[in-house]
Amino acid sequence: MEFINAMRKRYSTKKYDATKAIDKKLIEELKEILVLSPSSINSQPWQFQFVTNPEVKKQLAAASLFNEDKINECDTLVVFNSIYDVAVFEKQIKENLPQSALDYYNTTLVQLTPDELRVWFDKQVYLSLGILLAACAQMEIDATPMEGIEADKYQEILKMDGYRSLFAVAIGYRHDEDRNQPSHKPKSRLAQEAIVKSI
């Protein structure tokens, strides 16, 4: 499918068909695609969790405000986590990045406060969200990005150390009764000339 057509068809799914499963090969491709996501200085301050265990999904759903049904019905919940412990990040980049990246950290990023640095981490994680949504669209997998989660409860349920959950993405296949799909509710976007400028 041409990418532009895939993007025209994608939307935030509101109701999933719990009887439809994503092929395991596609799940493995999505994992690899996330590994290949871009980040500033190749920092990769993230961790992604693919949750299919029904009991864990149920616990996370209960900590997801108005997104509970989507999580219980979708095939897989992808949780996007950002490094919270700055020491974990410093250890990671020292072990994995070239000297030029370390120099950037030591001359520029090190001047940020821990909270400012965490905001920078979070921005990198959001880059990977766009990659996943685009990949799902191309693979004809439905997806719903959700910031409506209780991060502290997610951290407790997933037993994370040094990371915090930012958001989650339900992936699976739409239910025929989902009234948010474009065939029922056409996409609404600002006109291109209003938001895209050629100079």
Side-chain angles (χ1 to χ4, degrees), residues 116-173:
E116 289 171 334
L117 196 53
R118 291 181 187 112
V119 169
W120 186 83
F121 295 159
D122 294 353
K123 289 179 179 179
Q124 310 315 309
V125 179
Y126 272 90
L127 290 175
S128 66
L129 169 62
I131 296 295
L132 181 79
L133 294 179
C136 284
Q138 184 70 35
M139 297 161 76
E140 298 185 307
I141 296 171
D142 293 311
T144 310
M146 301 171 290
E147 288 184 303
I149 66 172
E150 298 179 65
D152 291 344
K153 291 182 181 178
Y154 265 57
Q155 184 172 9
E156 181 181 341
I157 294 165
L158 297 172
K159 299 177 174 58
M160 287 185 294
D161 187 24
Y163 292 80
R164 63 175 176 177
S165 296
L166 293 182
F167 50 86
V169 179
I171 60 174
Y173 297 103

Side-chain angles (χ1 to χ4, degrees), residues 102-122:
L102 291 176
D103 290 344
Y104 178 79
Y105 178 80
N106 290 324
T107 59
T108 304
L109 295 178
V110 77
Q111 298 178 41
L112 301 176
T113 67
D115 283 343
E116 289 171 334
L117 196 53
R118 291 181 187 112
V119 169
W120 186 83
F121 295 159
D122 294 353

Side-chain angles (χ1 to χ4, degrees), residues 39-71:
S39 59
S40 179
I41 66 166
N42 199 23
S43 54
Q44 307 170 71
W46 49 46
Q47 184 183 87
F48 311 106
Q49 292 168 308
F50 282 66
V51 183
T52 55
N53 180 290
E55 183 55 39
V56 177
K57 275 176 60 183
K58 187 176 180 180
Q59 293 177 46
L60 293 171
S64 300
L65 309 174
F66 49 84
N67 292 306
E68 188 168 357
D69 289 343
K70 298 181 196 78
I71 293 171

